[in-house]
Amino acid sequence: MTQHCRRPTARRAFTMVEAMAAVAIVAVLLVVALNTVGLSNANQYRTAQRATADALAQSLLQDILQLSYEDPATVPLFGPEILNNETSLSKTNYNDVDDFNGWSESPPQDRTGTTMSELTGWTRSVRVDFVSPTNPNSLSATDAGLKRITVTVSKNNVLLATRVALKGRHL
């Protein structure tokens, strides 16, 4: 009877070089994953900022469009009429579209003039122009029966939204 002498088999293990390579690969993948998550979060933040800006622009534009084309009580003047107590400090007494020409508020205010304190750093601005009824992109020096209202919204001086609407004398 012969006995076989078995050699003990060596256990195969990671070498130091293999371990370092694995760590390097995991580190690179971790950096790529974290960069992807960071970019995704930044994109979500920008999208939320633009949505807020769009909602602020739309709400102010709707408030303006509910007003008359021109002041119903006095001789039509462009801009706020002092006789009607339409000061530039408060929009609550504005009664026609062009009273908002040059209006700017920071932070934004609701329709009653109450400041929305949670929107510090945000600014809403309005410009009202006479435009040609045949080409609303063309400014008119005189009132031809059509006004273009442009509302812009920015945060920390970065423009985020612009909304434009037309208001006609007979619309």
Side-chain angles (χ1 to χ4, degrees):
M1 173 164 12
T2 55
Q3 278 187 313
H4 289 126
C5 192
R6 271 189 153 182
R7 265 195 215 172
T9 56
R11 292 175 114 188
R12 178 98 169 112
F14 282 115
T15 65
M16 184 62 87
V17 173
E18 291 170 327
M20 293 301 287
V23 167
I25 291 169
V26 169
V28 168
L29 291 174
L30 183 61
V31 167
V32 169
L34 289 174
N35 281 339
T36 302
V37 169
L39 290 172
S40 175
N41 286 341
N43 191 37
Q44 287 176 348
Y45 176 78
R46 282 192 299 275
T47 300
Q49 295 290 295
R50 291 192 190 284
T52 299
D54 194 48
L56 286 168
Q58 185 62 35
S59 105
L60 181 56
L61 194 57
Q62 289 298 342
D63 290 348
I64 294 170
L65 290 172
Q66 291 176 8
L67 300 175
S68 300
Y69 176 81
E70 58 191 2
D71 195 316
T74 63
V75 175
L77 298 173
F78 194 82
E81 293 84 25
I82 295 172
L83 295 174
N84 294 339
N85 197 26
E86 297 170 352
T87 66
S88 61
L89 301 176
S90 173
K91 64 184 180 183
T92 56
N93 291 329
Y94 288 179
N95 60 2
D96 62 282
V97 169
D98 60 62
D99 289 346
F100 278 90
N101 186 48
W103 174 257
S104 183
E105 55 187 15
S106 183
Q109 303 169 5
D110 64 18
R111 70 179 61 203
T112 67
T114 304
T115 299
M116 297 180 214
S117 59
E118 71 277 8
L119 296 174
T120 301
W122 290 84
T123 303
R124 292 195 294 191
S125 301
V126 181
R127 179 177 170 160
V128 181
D129 295 299
F130 291 127
V131 292
S132 167
T134 57
N135 181 5
N137 292 322
S138 177
L139 295 179
S140 176
T142 59
D143 186 359
L146 189 64
K147 294 176 183 172
R148 183 178 63 208
I149 304 112
T150 306
V151 176
T152 58
V153 178
S154 59
K155 181 174 185 191
N156 299 325
N157 297 319
V158 175
L159 179 64
L160 295 173
T162 301
R163 284 290 184 117
V164 178
L166 300 172
K167 178 80 173 188
R169 178 177 282 120
H170 303 292
L171 295 177

